[in-house]
Amino acid sequence: MLNMATRIECIFFSEFHPTLGPKITYQVPEEYISRELFDTVQVYIITKPELQNKLITVTAMEKKLIGCPVCIEHKKYSRNALLFNLGLVCDAQTNTCALEPIVKKLAGYLTTLELESGFISKEESKQKLLPIMSTLLDDLNATGACTLPIDDSNTIQLKLIQQRKDPPTVQEYDVPVFTECKELFIKSQWDLTTQQILPYIDGFRHIQKISAEADVELNLVRIAVQNLLYYGVVTLVSIFQYSNVYCTTPKVQSLIDDKSIQDECLSYVSKQGQKRASLRDVFQLYCGLSPGTTVRDLCSRYSQQLQRVDERRLIQFGLMKSLIRRLQKYPVKVVRDERSRPPRLYTGCHSYDEICCKTGISYQELDERLENDPNIVICWK
């Protein structure tokens, strides 16, 4: 079903009449576009040559109209040109980016039909537009896809592709984790690089480690994971270590309020082969995370509650659903000193995860180095 945020309210067909000028010939539903509205926007519907064959979106009187004005020049037409526009109308607040390819395609299809058979210029065939527009409006709003048989040899296929946000840049210290069950993932649908790294995506290996173990160049792994991220197949979490510190976010309340989140969480964090964990225990564990408390501390304090809970998956689920967030350590060098290297990483902008990945040293080794340097201050954020 078409997202309500991109719902089409009206489809119209406008053309230039040799004596009446620009007019709306058909619209579904009828009388949706008032005379006042059309008079306001008609210069953007049937346009000057500079704007022809271009996508135009105009907002007026709390409506947003999207069209692609077409001009076919030939001496057989009155005034030597056929001007028309099949457009869509939405609410003024609608994000119409996903509808623009539909409008552009329709303009191209109608142009081809006119050039091949005079579909628009002949009254008999032009009348077919009304039922076509009605089907188009109903099907796109209902399913986001439409098949329009025009005649014995022509069928128009349209599908609305929802626009997705650009994913964040994948870093070598990011950890990809599947948002759905990995077994449901159809491997053959993806490129060879993605197929090669799939066995190594387990929610705990970071990008650099996946690259090394899968024997795939680091940038190729980043690109493949970014593609999976774009389609919502994976999300990114931080590297898990027992020395990590986390704290809850306001969203942890959804674990109490939302039954579906409760069921998903308990299924996800319960240990394999054990009785399902209780909501009380899981919620208590999340609330036990706070600044200054490491995962190791949590495990020692709440050993009873962790008998049926996998602490690694507990943290993983909390990050995926934004119930918790990681508090990262960022070293800042306050006095220039040649003994502290590499100084470019000690600016307060680079986390321990990033520094360890870039330099190849362990957390423990980095901690020891920085603790012995009086010019380094650790910032938690």
Side-chain angles (χ1 to χ4, degrees):
M1 186 173 178
L2 190 60
N3 190 319
M4 290 301 290
T6 52
R7 185 173 179 80
I8 303 164
E9 296 190 358
C10 171
I11 299 180
F12 67 89
F13 176 78
S14 177
E15 61 185 331
F16 185 86
H17 190 277
T19 55
L20 299 175
K23 68 164 194 167
I24 291 184
T25 307
Y26 306 118
Q27 58 174 312
V28 180
E30 291 183 14
E31 307 299 328
Y32 185 87
I33 300 174
S34 65
R35 183 76 228 179
E36 183 185 2
L37 175 57
F38 185 68
D39 287 345
T40 304
V41 300
Q42 66 172 2
V43 292
Y44 302 105
I45 305 298
I46 303 298
T47 67
K48 302 279 187 193
E50 295 81 10
L51 295 177
Q52 287 164 4
N53 300 308
K54 291 182 173 61
L55 272 168
I56 297 175
T57 301
V58 57
T59 303
M61 299 173 63
E62 299 184 357
K63 303 295 176 192
K64 187 179 284 188
L65 295 86
I66 322 138
C68 183
V70 175
C71 175
I72 303 174
E73 294 182 345
H74 198 281
K75 60 184 179 182
K76 69 178 180 179
Y77 301 122
S78 176
R79 301 198 183 189
N80 297 321
L82 177 70
L83 290 89
F84 65 89
N85 195 343
L86 183 67
L88 311 178
V89 185
C90 303
D91 182 80
Q93 304 304 315
T94 302
N95 183 343
T96 55
C97 291
L99 298 173
E100 289 171 2
I102 298 282
V103 174
K104 191 74 174 172
K105 274 190 176 181
L106 285 169
Y109 285 138
L110 292 181
T111 301
T112 302
L113 287 169
E114 172 59 28
L115 293 173
E116 289 179 352
S117 63
F119 185 82
I120 303 295
S121 54
K122 293 176 182 175
E123 284 298 321
E124 184 181 352
S125 54
K126 185 169 71 176
Q127 290 174 6
K128 294 180 181 179
L129 275 176
L130 194 56
I132 286 171
M133 289 160 58
S134 183
T135 303
L136 188 65
L137 180 69
D138 292 343
D139 289 2
L140 284 181
N141 279 336
T143 65
C146 190
T147 300
L148 301 168
I150 306 299
D151 52 37
D152 293 339
S153 56
N154 289 291
T155 301
I156 297 175
Q157 304 276 357
L158 295 168
K159 184 174 177 65
L160 187 84
I161 306 298
Q162 290 290 351
Q163 301 292 304
R164 300 172 185 267
K165 291 181 180 177
D166 289 338
T169 302
V170 176
Q171 305 292 352
E172 62 265 39
Y173 47 86
D174 285 328
V175 177
V177 53
F178 278 95
T179 54
E180 302 289 341
C181 179
K182 191 174 179 178
E183 282 65 40
L184 300 175
F185 189 86
I186 303 171
K187 188 176 176 180
S188 60
Q189 291 182 347
W190 300 85
D191 60 87
L192 292 176
T193 302
T194 303
Q195 291 183 37
Q196 192 169 342
I197 67 172
L198 277 179
Y200 302 93
I201 299 177
D202 61 355
F204 299 105
R205 290 182 176 97
H206 56 277
I207 297 295
Q208 194 173 68
K209 192 171 185 181
I210 291 170
S211 170
E213 294 187 11
D215 194 24
V216 177
E217 201 271 323
L218 180 61
N219 275 333
L220 292 179
V221 176
R222 288 170 64 168
I223 291 167
V225 171
Q226 191 139 2
N227 190 45
L228 293 173
L229 198 60
Y230 178 78
Y231 288 105
V233 177
V234 301
T235 187
L236 299 177
V237 297
S238 59
I239 296 170
F240 176 86
Q241 293 196 103
Y242 283 94
S243 58
N244 287 356
V245 175
Y246 302 88
C247 63
T248 55
T249 72
K251 285 190 176 180
V252 76
Q253 181 65 32
S254 64
L255 202 55
I256 300 299
D257 300 337
D258 191 328
K259 185 71 166 62
S260 63
I261 290 283
Q262 290 175 19
D263 291 339
E264 187 182 357
C265 178
L266 297 180
S267 298
Y268 195 91
V269 307
S270 296
K271 285 180 178 175
Q272 295 293 322
Q274 294 261 18
K275 188 179 176 183
R276 183 160 146 157
S278 71
L279 177 62
R280 176 193 170 95
D281 286 348
V282 171
F283 193 71
Q284 197 171 0
L285 286 166
Y286 277 132
C287 292
L289 295 167
S290 61
T293 302
T294 64
V295 178
R296 189 179 290 107
D297 296 333
L298 185 82
C299 292
S300 61
R301 289 176 196 169
Y302 295 92
S303 55
Q304 186 73 30
Q305 288 85 344
L306 281 164
Q307 286 181 358
R308 287 182 285 169
V309 176
D310 184 328
E311 66 273 11
R312 297 175 77 194
R313 290 177 67 82
L314 176 85
I315 297 298
Q316 195 180 78
F317 185 86
L319 292 172
M320 288 167 63
K321 299 296 181 181
S322 300
L323 307 179
I324 61 174
R325 68 180 180 87
R326 168 104 176 266
L327 287 174
Q328 298 256 30
K329 294 166 80 171
Y330 293 80
V332 183
K333 186 173 183 180
V334 291
V335 178
R336 292 192 176 277
D337 186 333
E338 289 303 314
R339 290 177 301 166
S340 178
R341 292 187 178 276
R344 62 184 177 84
L345 293 175
Y346 301 154
T347 61
C349 298
H350 306 280
S351 67
Y352 263 45
D353 284 1
E354 181 179 354
I355 294 169
C356 289
C357 273
K358 287 187 185 303
T359 61
I361 62 177
S362 69
Y363 268 57
Q364 186 177 352
E365 188 181 351
L366 181 60
D367 254 340
E368 289 171 357
R369 283 190 193 182
L370 299 184
E371 281 176 9
N372 294 328
D373 190 333
N375 298 319
I376 295 288
V377 174
I378 302 298
C379 177
W380 290 80
K381 58 182 179 179

Coordinates of all heavy atoms in Angstrom, one line a residue, residues 155-187:
T155 N 1.3 -2.1 -23.3 CA 0.9 -2.2 -21.9 C 1.9 -1.3 -21.1 O 3.1 -1.4 -21.3 CB 0.9 -3.6 -21.4 OG1 0.0 -4.4 -22.1 CG2 0.5 -3.7 -19.9
I156 N 1.4 -0.5 -20.2 CA 2.3 0.3 -19.4 C 2.4 -0.3 -18.0 O 1.4 -0.6 -17.3 CB 1.7 1.8 -19.2 CG1 1.6 2.5 -20.6 CG2 2.5 2.6 -18.3 CD1 0.9 3.8 -20.5
Q157 N 3.6 -0.5 -17.6 CA 3.9 -1.1 -16.2 C 4.6 0.0 -15.4 O 5.6 0.6 -15.8 CB 4.9 -2.2 -16.4 CG 4.5 -3.4 -17.3 CD 3.6 -4.4 -16.6 OE1 3.3 -4.3 -15.4 NE2 3.1 -5.3 -17.4
L158 N 4.0 0.3 -14.2 CA 4.5 1.3 -13.3 C 4.6 0.8 -11.9 O 3.8 0.0 -11.5 CB 3.5 2.5 -13.3 CG 3.4 3.3 -14.6 CD1 2.2 4.3 -14.5 CD2 4.7 4.1 -14.9
K159 N 5.7 1.2 -11.3 CA 5.9 0.8 -9.9 C 6.5 1.9 -9.1 O 7.5 2.5 -9.5 CB 6.8 -0.5 -9.8 CG 7.0 -1.0 -8.3 CD 7.7 -2.3 -8.3 CE 8.0 -2.8 -6.9 NZ 6.7 -3.2 -6.2
L160 N 5.9 2.2 -8.0 CA 6.4 3.3 -7.1 C 7.6 2.8 -6.3 O 7.4 1.8 -5.5 CB 5.3 3.8 -6.2 CG 5.7 5.1 -5.4 CD1 5.5 6.3 -6.2 CD2 4.9 5.2 -4.1
I161 N 8.7 3.4 -6.4 CA 9.9 3.0 -5.6 C 10.1 4.0 -4.5 O 10.3 5.2 -4.8 CB 11.2 3.0 -6.5 CG1 11.0 2.0 -7.7 CG2 12.4 2.5 -5.6 CD1 10.7 0.6 -7.3
Q162 N 9.9 3.6 -3.2 CA 10.0 4.5 -2.1 C 11.5 5.0 -2.0 O 12.4 4.2 -2.1 CB 9.6 3.8 -0.8 CG 8.1 3.6 -0.7 CD 7.3 4.9 -0.6 OE1 7.8 5.9 -0.4 NE2 5.9 4.7 -0.7
Q163 N 11.7 6.3 -1.8 CA 13.0 6.8 -1.7 C 13.5 6.5 -0.3 O 12.9 6.6 0.7 CB 12.9 8.3 -1.8 CG 12.4 8.8 -3.2 CD 13.3 8.5 -4.3 OE1 14.5 8.8 -4.3 NE2 12.8 7.8 -5.3
R164 N 14.8 6.0 -0.3 CA 15.5 5.7 1.0 C 16.5 6.8 1.3 O 17.1 7.4 0.4 CB 16.1 4.4 0.9 CG 15.2 3.2 0.6 CD 16.0 1.9 0.4 NE 15.2 0.8 0.0 CZ 14.6 -0.1 0.8 NH1 14.9 0.0 2.1 NH2 13.9 -1.0 0.4
K165 N 16.7 7.0 2.6 CA 17.8 7.9 3.0 C 19.2 7.3 2.7 O 19.3 6.1 2.8 CB 17.7 8.2 4.5 CG 16.5 9.0 4.9 CD 16.5 9.3 6.4 CE 15.3 10.1 6.8 NZ 15.2 10.3 8.2
D166 N 20.1 8.1 2.4 CA 21.5 7.6 2.2 C 22.0 7.1 3.5 O 21.9 7.7 4.6 CB 22.4 8.8 1.7 CG 22.1 9.2 0.3 OD1 21.6 8.3 -0.5 OD2 22.5 10.3 -0.1
P167 N 22.6 5.9 3.5 CA 23.1 5.3 4.8 C 24.3 6.1 5.2 O 25.0 6.7 4.5 CB 23.4 3.9 4.4 CG 23.7 4.0 2.9 CD 22.9 5.0 2.3
P168 N 24.6 5.9 6.5 CA 25.9 6.6 7.0 C 27.1 5.9 6.4 O 27.0 4.7 6.0 CB 25.8 6.3 8.5 CG 24.9 5.2 8.7 CD 23.9 5.3 7.6
T169 N 28.2 6.6 6.4 CA 29.4 6.0 5.9 C 29.9 4.8 6.8 O 29.9 5.0 8.1 CB 30.5 7.0 5.8 OG1 30.1 8.1 5.0 CG2 31.8 6.5 5.3
V170 N 30.2 3.7 6.2 CA 30.6 2.5 7.0 C 32.1 2.7 7.3 O 32.9 2.8 6.4 CB 30.4 1.2 6.2 CG1 30.9 0.0 7.0 CG2 28.9 1.1 6.0
Q171 N 32.5 2.6 8.6 CA 33.9 2.7 9.0 C 34.4 1.3 9.3 O 33.7 0.3 9.6 CB 34.0 3.5 10.3 CG 33.4 4.9 10.1 CD 34.2 5.8 9.2 OE1 35.2 5.5 8.7 NE2 33.6 7.0 8.9
E172 N 35.7 1.2 9.3 CA 36.4 -0.1 9.5 C 36.1 -0.7 10.9 O 36.2 -1.9 11.1 CB 37.9 -0.1 9.3 CG 38.6 0.8 10.2 CD 38.8 2.2 9.6 OE1 37.9 2.8 9.0 OE2 39.9 2.8 9.8
Y173 N 35.7 0.1 11.9 CA 35.5 -0.4 13.2 C 34.0 -0.6 13.5 O 33.6 -0.9 14.6 CB 36.0 0.6 14.3 CG 35.7 2.1 14.0 CD1 34.5 2.6 14.4 CD2 36.6 2.9 13.3 CE1 34.2 4.0 14.2 CE2 36.3 4.2 13.0 CZ 35.1 4.7 13.4 OH 34.8 6.1 13.2
D174 N 33.1 -0.4 12.5 CA 31.7 -0.7 12.7 C 31.4 -2.2 12.6 O 32.1 -2.9 11.9 CB 30.9 0.0 11.5 CG 30.7 1.5 11.8 OD1 30.7 1.9 12.9 OD2 30.7 2.3 10.8
V175 N 30.3 -2.6 13.3 CA 30.0 -4.0 13.3 C 28.6 -4.1 12.6 O 27.6 -3.6 13.2 CB 29.9 -4.5 14.7 CG1 29.4 -6.0 14.8 CG2 31.2 -4.4 15.4
P176 N 28.5 -4.8 11.5 CA 27.2 -5.0 10.9 C 26.4 -6.2 11.5 O 27.0 -7.2 11.9 CB 27.5 -5.4 9.4 CG 28.9 -5.9 9.5 CD 29.6 -5.3 10.7
V177 N 25.1 -6.0 11.7 CA 24.3 -7.0 12.3 C 23.0 -7.1 11.5 O 22.4 -6.1 11.2 CB 24.1 -6.8 13.8 CG1 23.5 -5.4 14.1 CG2 23.1 -7.8 14.4
F178 N 22.5 -8.3 11.2 CA 21.3 -8.5 10.4 C 20.1 -8.0 11.2 O 19.9 -8.2 12.4 CB 21.1 -9.9 10.1 CG 21.9 -10.4 8.9 CD1 23.1 -11.0 9.0 CD2 21.4 -10.2 7.6 CE1 23.8 -11.4 7.9 CE2 22.1 -10.5 6.5 CZ 23.3 -11.2 6.6
T179 N 19.2 -7.2 10.5 CA 18.0 -6.7 11.2 C 16.9 -7.8 11.2 O 15.9 -7.7 11.9 CB 17.5 -5.5 10.4 OG1 17.3 -5.8 9.0 CG2 18.4 -4.3 10.5
E180 N 17.0 -8.8 10.3 CA 16.0 -9.9 10.2 C 16.8 -11.2 10.4 O 18.0 -11.2 10.4 CB 15.3 -9.9 8.9 CG 14.5 -8.6 8.6 CD 13.3 -8.4 9.5 OE1 12.8 -9.5 10.1 OE2 12.8 -7.3 9.6
C181 N 16.1 -12.3 10.5 CA 16.8 -13.6 10.6 C 17.7 -13.9 9.4 O 17.2 -13.7 8.3 CB 15.7 -14.7 10.7 SG 16.4 -16.4 10.9
K182 N 18.9 -14.2 9.7 CA 19.9 -14.4 8.6 C 19.5 -15.5 7.6 O 19.8 -15.5 6.4 CB 21.2 -14.7 9.2 CG 22.4 -14.7 8.3 CD 23.7 -14.9 9.0 CE 24.9 -14.9 8.0 NZ 26.2 -15.0 8.7
E183 N 18.7 -16.5 8.1 CA 18.3 -17.6 7.3 C 17.3 -17.2 6.2 O 17.2 -17.9 5.2 CB 17.7 -18.7 8.2 CG 18.6 -19.6 8.9 CD 19.4 -18.8 10.0 OE1 18.9 -18.0 10.7 OE2 20.7 -19.1 10.1
L184 N 16.6 -16.0 6.4 CA 15.7 -15.6 5.4 C 16.4 -14.8 4.3 O 15.8 -14.5 3.3 CB 14.7 -14.6 6.1 CG 13.8 -15.2 7.2 CD1 12.9 -14.2 7.9 CD2 13.0 -16.4 6.7
F185 N 17.7 -14.6 4.4 CA 18.4 -13.8 3.4 C 18.7 -14.7 2.2 O 19.3 -15.8 2.3 CB 19.8 -13.3 4.1 CG 20.5 -12.4 3.2 CD1 20.3 -11.0 3.3 CD2 21.5 -12.8 2.4 CE1 21.0 -10.1 2.6 CE2 22.3 -11.9 1.6 CZ 22.0 -10.6 1.7
I186 N 18.3 -14.2 1.0 CA 18.5 -15.0 -0.2 C 19.8 -14.6 -0.8 O 19.9 -13.5 -1.4 CB 17.3 -14.7 -1.2 CG1 16.0 -15.1 -0.5 CG2 17.5 -15.6 -2.4 CD1 14.7 -14.7 -1.3
K187 N 20.8 -15.4 -0.6 CA 22.2 -15.1 -1.0 C 22.3 -14.8 -2.5 O 23.1 -13.9 -2.9 CB 23.1 -16.3 -0.6 CG 24.5 -16.1 -0.7 CD 25.3 -17.3 -0.2 CE 26.8 -17.2 -0.4 NZ 27.5 -18.3 0.1

